[in-house]
Amino acid sequence: MITPQLSIIVPTRERVEVLRETLATLVTLSMQDVEFVICDNCSNDETAQVVSAYSDPRVRYVRSLERLSMPDNFALGLSHAKGRYVVTMGDDDFVIEENLRLALELAEKNQTDLVYWFRGCFYWGTYPSSQAGLFVIPRGRGHYRVEGETLLRMSYLGHVNYQYLPSLYNSVMSRSFLLKYEHFLRGRYFLTSVVSVDVFTALAFSALSPKVYYQQSPATVSGISHRSNGMSHFASGQEGKTFRQELGLGSDDCIMPKMLRGSVRPVFPHGVLDLTILADYELVVRELLCYTMCSPPDFELLAQIQIRRLVALGHLEVDSDSLVCRRLLFDTESKQIPVEDLDKYFFDFWHIPRPENY
């Protein structure tokens, strides 16, 4: 069996209208030592026909025989990857080939587990906003050594957004790292209760990889459309319902940390999204880091920082009679952490020039 240098994994589920365009961009890449693993989550649309229309030998089609959760479909794709390095991307994303080559060269040269970047973004024409058609891509050509555990602790202190950590969506990962990661999770890629694969892997990767490089030039661009998974938090229609069903939730249920249930209520979709992110932070602390770190991050401190911020923004309402909320909101002895500019803090801490956007 020939081992390609790179596997690009594209999980998908009944989103043929965006997958068609994304696959068309992938096959234009001049890289030959690569495979494109299209991982179909038991779609009932024309996904199989669209993929089979390509005679390109780099395209591989993997189909689940039953509907999987989103994390399980990503895990299926990872299990089928043959490359020495692996990249995953959404079915509405695209690749910047020159920057991807730079990341692979950096990984090979330094024998590092992970090379990652802050993703650019592209708003599809179907995105219901005046931003439709907008590209935002960071400019820069440098790369910088950063420490995974330091990134993790900065994130738990509210200093750094999880998107500035290496995750499944914004990294070139070595095969050896993925094997170590899978072994650490006892033969799995995700814990059972994971909500967002990008949030979970950002925290888990940072905990498990001391040797990480941040690359200024993004190798992938995140597509944002009416079908994006992240947008499902804002969707009252079928996409939002499907997302909740896959997580075993009712249509009105909000995913949030166990300690906050019954004490807080999101007012706007942004509050829903932030509570969802907090749920994965809690999961990682309680189910992963408490067994691997001598002094794991303090989840309650993160919850305190975020709840106060969300209440101040008007994104969250709290039960004033709740002992949990009174402690989080009114404990004046707790350490206050400035979180006004998370992006600036990341670049200043690592002495990385703050990039401009194209």
Side-chain angles (χ1 to χ4, degrees):
M1 179 185 298
I2 298 175
T3 301
Q5 181 191 33
L6 176 67
S7 296
I8 297 179
I9 302 171
V10 186
T12 190
R13 184 212 69 210
E14 293 178 358
R15 305 195 330 164
V16 70
E17 69 272 29
V18 292
L19 175 67
R20 179 184 288 111
E21 305 300 327
T22 295
L23 188 52
T25 66
L26 284 176
V27 297
T28 64
L29 298 181
S30 63
M31 303 169 68
Q32 295 302 309
D33 197 11
V34 61
E35 62 173 3
F36 309 124
V37 183
I38 313 303
C39 196
D40 180 4
N41 192 356
C42 198
S43 296
N44 292 316
D45 60 9
E46 299 175 353
T47 294
Q49 294 92 315
V50 166
V51 177
S52 64
Y54 287 92
S55 59
D56 192 321
R58 298 174 297 176
V59 177
R60 291 179 54 214
Y61 178 65
V62 176
R63 176 182 168 86
S64 170
L65 298 179
E66 60 182 1
R67 181 57 57 85
L68 303 173
S69 68
M70 182 180 171
D72 285 344
N73 194 38
F74 272 76
L76 181 64
L78 289 169
S79 70
H80 280 271
K82 300 176 182 177
R84 300 193 305 276
Y85 294 93
V86 176
V87 169
T88 65
M89 55 182 282
D91 57 9
D92 54 0
D93 299 350
F94 66 89
V95 169
I96 301 177
E97 182 170 2
E98 181 181 1
N99 295 344
L100 181 56
R101 289 183 183 276
L102 288 174
L104 288 168
E105 290 171 4
L106 183 60
E108 291 272 19
K109 179 180 179 181
N110 292 281
Q111 294 297 296
T112 187
D113 289 336
L114 295 161
V115 175
Y116 81 105
W117 49 86
F118 186 79
R119 289 177 287 165
C121 65
F122 165 60
Y123 292 85
W124 283 63
T126 55
Y127 183 68
S129 166
S130 59
Q131 292 177 300
L134 176 68
F135 279 87
V136 180
I137 301 179
R139 186 198 306 263
R141 305 295 288 178
H143 57 267
Y144 302 84
R145 173 77 179 270
V146 295
E147 296 175 2
E149 186 172 317
T150 301
L151 286 169
L152 178 68
R153 293 190 180 279
M154 289 168 68
S155 184
Y156 268 96
L157 286 173
H159 283 322
V160 173
N161 189 293
Y162 75 91
Q163 296 182 64
Y164 282 90
L165 276 59
S167 80
L168 204 60
Y169 269 124
N170 66 342
S171 303
V172 164
M173 302 162 279
S174 70
R175 165 65 58 189
S176 60
F177 172 74
L178 281 176
L179 290 173
K180 178 177 71 173
Y181 170 80
E182 183 187 19
H183 176 74
F184 181 78
L185 292 183
R186 298 183 180 181
R188 298 176 295 171
Y189 288 103
F190 304 100
L191 299 179
T192 304
S193 303
V194 167
V195 179
S196 302
V197 296
D198 50 347
V199 177
F200 176 79
T201 55
L203 304 175
F205 284 6
S206 298
L208 297 176
S209 181
K211 190 176 183 182
V212 178
Y213 279 88
Y214 171 79
Q215 177 172 291
Q216 284 183 299
S217 48
T220 55
V221 176
S222 178
I224 302 173
S225 70
H226 68 295
R227 298 297 307 276
S228 297
N229 288 309
M231 292 304 298
S232 66
H233 294 285
F234 300 84
S236 58
Q238 187 58 43
E239 194 70 14
K241 291 179 181 178
T242 300
F243 183 79
R244 287 171 176 79
Q245 287 171 358
E246 290 189 350
L247 293 169
L249 299 170
S251 59
D252 297 325
D253 290 339
C254 177
I255 306 157
M256 67 176 70
K258 293 179 181 179
M259 66 179 291
L260 298 177
R261 291 175 188 172
S263 299
V264 301
R265 183 177 71 85
V267 180
F268 296 113
H270 284 290
V272 175
L273 184 60
D274 278 320
L275 286 174
T276 300
I277 291 171
L278 274 178
D280 276 328
Y281 272 77
E282 182 185 41
L283 173 69
V284 172
V285 167
R286 303 201 188 287
E287 302 294 335
L288 187 67
L289 301 184
C290 63
Y291 301 110
T292 61
M293 299 176 70
C294 295
S295 56
D298 182 353
F299 173 74
E300 187 163 314
L301 176 59
L302 173 71
Q304 183 181 69
I305 294 166
Q306 295 298 338
I307 295 304
R308 291 182 179 183
R309 180 179 66 85
L310 293 172
V311 169
L313 291 171
H315 292 177
L316 206 65
E317 291 181 348
V318 302
D319 178 2
S320 58
D321 294 328
S322 164
L323 293 176
V324 171
C325 286
R326 276 189 281 178
R327 185 173 73 249
L328 293 177
L329 290 173
F330 305 116
D331 182 1
T332 56
E333 295 182 2
S334 296
K335 185 178 181 182
Q336 298 297 303
I337 307 292
V339 293
E340 289 81 7
D341 192 341
L342 303 184
D343 297 354
K344 184 176 185 299
Y345 195 97
F346 170 81
F347 294 113
D348 288 351
F349 184 89
W350 297 108
H351 304 291
I352 298 173
R354 193 169 186 176
E356 299 178 357
N357 291 323
Y358 284 105

